[in-house]
Amino acid sequence: MSTSTPANARPSTGAPDRGSAIDSLVQANRAYADAFRDPGMTARPVLGVAVVACMDARLDLHAALGLELGDCHTIRNAGGVVTDDTIRSLTISQRALGTRSVVLIHHTGCGLQTLTEEFRHELEMEVGQRPAWAVESFRDVDQDVRQSMRRVRSSPFLPHTDDVRGFVFDVATGLLREIADPK
C-alpha cells in the first residue's frame, strides 16, 4: 500500500510532531512578532470597503483582490451568508468606522451547497439541543448572492447601501464573476 501527500500539504520538516496545529500557529506568530513594526494605522479601512465572504480556506481574499493590510474590513462565515451577525458587523463597519461599500463574495464548490436544514435536526438528535441559527444552505450560488445583496440593501441599520456588489469566485480559475444587481 502506498501513501500520497495531498498537493496542498506542507512539506515535512523531518522533525517529530511537537504539538497541535495551534501550537504551530503560535510559533509562527512569535516569528512574525519579532519582525513586526506598528504600521500606525487606525481601524478605519483605507478603501472604505467591507468584504463579506465565505470562510473557505481556498479563498485568499487579499491576494485575489489586490488588498493590503488596512485596506478593508473582512467578514467571513460559512457560505459568506448575510446573517444577523453579518449585518451587525457591517453596521459597526459603516457607522463607527466609515465604510461605504460592500463586496459580497460567494464561490464555486461551496460546502453549503451540499448541506440542508436537516443538518440542524441531526445536531439536535446528537446533542439534545436544536441550534438557534439556520444553516443557510443553498443550491444556486448566483441566487444566494442576489439574496445576500437584497439583505444588505434592505437593512434599516446600514446607511450606505448604494454601492453593494456581489460576485462568485471560481476556485479553479481565481476569477470573480459579477452577479447582476437585483435592485
Side-chain angles (χ1 to χ4, degrees):
M1 182 167 112
S2 68
T3 59
S4 63
T5 303
N8 62 346
R10 295 198 176 151
S12 172
T13 61
D17 183 16
R18 294 201 175 119
S20 71
I22 296 172
D23 292 333
S24 296
L25 298 175
V26 171
Q27 184 177 359
N29 173 256
R30 286 187 188 115
Y32 172 79
D34 286 344
F36 184 80
R37 299 298 170 257
D38 181 355
M41 299 176 178
T42 71
R44 290 179 163 293
V46 172
L47 299 179
V49 65
V51 178
V52 177
C54 185
M55 66 186 192
D56 191 295
R58 297 172 290 181
L59 277 67
D60 182 348
L61 294 173
H62 276 72
L65 300 174
L67 296 168
E68 298 292 332
L69 181 66
D71 281 348
C72 72
H73 284 156
T74 305
I75 303 159
R76 295 182 79 155
N77 64 33
V81 177
V82 177
T83 62
D84 286 345
D85 194 59
T86 305
I87 294 295
R88 178 188 72 87
S89 294
L90 287 172
T91 301
I92 292 166
S93 178
Q94 287 191 359
R95 291 181 176 268
L97 296 165
T99 62
R100 299 182 66 86
S101 301
V102 178
V103 176
L104 303 165
I105 301 178
H106 287 35
H107 66 91
T108 58
C110 185
L112 280 188
Q113 290 177 285
T114 64
L115 294 176
T116 66
E117 290 299 321
E118 181 67 18
F119 182 75
R120 291 175 70 220
H121 176 71
E122 292 166 1
L123 282 173
E124 180 181 15
M125 295 296 99
E126 180 182 329
V127 303
Q129 180 178 339
R130 188 172 189 93
W133 40 263
V135 174
E136 295 275 358
S137 60
F138 54 89
R139 291 186 183 175
D140 183 333
V141 68
D142 291 19
Q143 178 55 29
D144 202 62
V145 171
R146 286 189 286 275
Q147 175 176 286
S148 293
M149 285 191 278
R150 281 191 298 274
R151 285 180 176 175
V152 169
R153 288 191 185 283
S154 66
S155 174
F157 306 111
L158 299 174
H160 307 291
T161 59
D162 292 336
D163 192 15
V164 177
R165 293 170 65 184
F167 300 84
V168 174
F169 177 87
D170 187 313
V171 297
T173 67
L175 288 172
L176 289 176
R177 177 174 51 83
E178 190 160 9
I179 303 303
D181 194 336
K183 283 186 191 180

